[in-house]
Amino acid sequence: MKASGRTDVPYGGRSLQGVRVSASRRSGTTDELGPDEPEQPDRDGADLLAALLDGMDAALCAFDADGVVTHWNREAERILGWSAAEAVGRQGFAGWAVRSADAGEVEDRLLSAMRAPGRQVHEFALLTKDGGRVLVRTQSAAVRGPDGKPAGVYCAFSEVHAQIDLERSIALSEALLEDASWGVVLVDADLRPAVVNAHAARALGAGRTSVLGRPLGELLTQGVEELENALTHVLAEGAPPAPAEVWVRLRTPEGERRRCWRSGFVRLASPLAEEPVPLGVGWLFQDITEAKQTEQEAALLRFRANQLHRAARAAAECEDPAEAAVVHLDFALAGFADHALIDRVVGGAAVDTDAAEPVRLVRVAATPSGAPGPSVLSGTSGMPVRYGEGHPAVQCVERTGSVRASAGARAAQAAEQVRQWAAARQWPADTAHGLCAVLRSRGRTLGVVTFLRGTGRSAFERSDAMYAEDVAVRIAAALDLGGALEER
């Protein structure tokens, strides 16, 4: 029966003519109107309902109690190719939207929603206008009249693969925000966390809700600028081509922690807007601090071993043992320290039995304190350096072991206090950290080699002391050789 020649079937005594008008009128057909029915109000309501139905993302159709199609929106037309004029008024799907052999089963499953509570979900194949088949997933539910009795069925359907894609996207989002083994943070356009998963909350050292809406500067003490620059770039330009490694320093109840996060960024845009509207940035990160530190330590060890090798080859070409000692010192400075000093025990050497004697040291070589350059040998005046009691170099000789010294908290104070700290130890004015390694050869203490770093560098660590001791062994051997040649 055609739509243009059919009287609307009442749902529980109430006509659904206005609804059907929206589908049929837009397709160029007309409905039968009674002589006493006011046309304009119904037409306005029909146009509004037609606009709502046609604007839906899901395909929608409806059947009356006899199984006749009463509604058909544009998404249904897009999927199957049948227009509203061709669909509305047909008895079920038989012979046009479903194979005749399957029509009975499909109709029974759809109309069974009138007798069942809630919604029912089914999957079956529909026919397109050009003869193709589309597997769809339907959700159907009863339409009830004023008396509460079923008057028809509405059915929303979509292609199965599209539904599965949607479900996968939702499942992926939920898994990322709950069970992911890396941090996931959704940052809004103001660069503030909007959603944080459990892993990210642990990495940030805070609760999942306590970090929401807070500026990143309240969570991080270092690396905020780099991270915010990355987020701003993603909002403006889109995702970068590769992950970025960001070093940050976190505020935690136990103090500050320095971490390295390998971070990936994706721009989030609203799927509902005609033009992409940025909603924020998805920030995914993994903590790679331990791996990065191991990698850096391995690279540093390779570099230092290479420097020792190169220094040994260069020193072997020096005729003067003192010059060879300076060569070892210069190679050791690269990437390790800003300045270096070699002080020798007055008298040439000291044995362990001389521990009761006061330690006196004379300068042998030093790097320029004003401008960078190679180390130079000092004069032969033999005047002792004015080291006070408790000086790190003196302690180094007395203990026959390495000694580290640092301005410590003073480094955060006025630069004048740091200069006073360095001047009291007879070191260059920009020194904030010192490391003294004893020069030992043939069971005797020959002196001390001192490495110095400025205020812009970190303090010496135990691994640095081990490297300084390796260099000291080579310098001590060269100085001992020079002393032996002088005694001849």
Side-chain angles (χ1 to χ4, degrees), residues 28-371:
T29 60
T30 58
D31 294 302
E32 295 180 0
L33 298 175
D36 298 330
E37 292 179 297
E39 182 178 356
Q40 188 62 39
D42 285 349
R43 181 180 295 121
D44 292 342
D47 290 342
L48 174 60
L49 184 55
L52 292 175
L53 292 177
D54 287 340
M56 294 178 61
D57 292 331
L60 186 139
C61 64
F63 303 88
D64 62 16
D66 297 326
V68 177
V69 178
T70 60
H71 303 79
W72 193 265
N73 72 348
R74 286 189 177 180
E75 183 65 13
E77 179 179 347
R78 186 194 68 80
I79 294 177
L80 297 180
W82 301 96
S83 67
E86 295 170 312
V88 173
R90 289 180 179 267
Q91 180 70 44
F93 284 157
W96 62 286
V98 175
R99 293 192 311 172
S100 300
D102 300 331
E105 179 186 358
V106 171
E107 184 173 348
D108 290 343
R109 291 166 70 181
L110 288 176
L111 297 181
S112 65
M114 286 192 295
R115 302 181 298 274
R119 294 181 300 173
Q120 289 191 328
V121 178
H122 300 287
E123 290 184 5
F124 44 76
L126 296 181
L127 295 179
T128 62
K129 188 175 181 180
D130 58 7
R133 299 184 70 191
V134 178
L135 184 63
V136 299
R137 178 174 295 176
T138 66
Q139 295 186 35
S140 54
V143 175
R144 301 186 182 277
D147 57 359
K149 296 181 179 180
V153 174
Y154 80 83
C155 173
F157 63 92
S158 60
E159 297 177 78
V160 167
H161 69 82
Q163 183 71 18
I164 292 176
D165 288 344
L166 175 61
E167 292 178 1
R168 284 173 178 163
S169 297
I170 296 173
L172 175 60
S173 299
E174 292 180 351
L176 286 175
L177 296 177
E178 295 294 337
D179 306 323
S181 58
W182 54 85
V184 180
V185 180
L186 303 187
V187 183
D188 62 22
D190 295 328
L191 306 186
R192 301 192 179 198
V195 181
V196 178
N197 75 342
H199 188 97
R202 289 193 298 269
L204 292 168
R208 293 185 64 178
T209 57
S210 63
V211 302
L212 302 184
R214 295 172 58 185
L216 295 174
E218 294 184 5
L219 306 171
L220 309 175
T221 60
Q222 180 182 332
V224 178
E225 295 82 3
E226 183 178 358
L227 185 56
E228 289 184 342
N229 285 340
L231 295 172
T232 302
H233 172 82
V234 173
L235 282 172
E237 305 292 338
E245 294 177 358
V246 182
W247 281 95
V248 299
R249 194 177 294 275
L250 297 166
R251 287 191 179 98
T252 66
E254 296 78 20
E256 293 188 354
R257 292 186 304 154
R258 190 166 182 262
R259 314 300 296 172
C260 182
W261 291 337
R262 177 171 291 153
S263 303
F265 304 93
V266 290
R267 181 167 59 180
L268 306 179
S270 173
L272 303 179
E274 294 183 2
E275 297 183 359
V277 177
L279 298 177
V281 177
W283 170 31
L284 295 82
F285 66 90
Q286 280 185 315
D287 192 322
I288 60 170
T289 307
E290 294 183 3
K292 199 65 180 176
Q293 288 175 342
T294 301
E295 178 184 330
Q296 291 177 345
E297 290 171 1
L300 184 60
L301 287 175
R302 287 194 300 269
F303 174 76
R304 289 179 175 178
N306 188 47
Q307 287 297 97
L308 291 174
H309 174 73
R310 294 175 60 197
R313 291 178 60 88
E317 303 300 323
C318 298
E319 296 183 3
D320 183 1
E323 183 182 351
V326 170
V327 167
H328 283 291
L329 190 66
D330 288 337
F331 273 95
L333 275 177
F336 182 67
D338 299 318
H339 302 291
L341 314 168
I342 298 178
D343 298 322
R344 190 161 185 176
V345 174
V346 173
V351 296
D352 296 342
T353 57
D354 297 335
E357 297 293 328
V359 175
R360 293 191 303 164
L361 299 170
V362 62
R363 182 64 42 81
V364 174
T367 55
S369 59

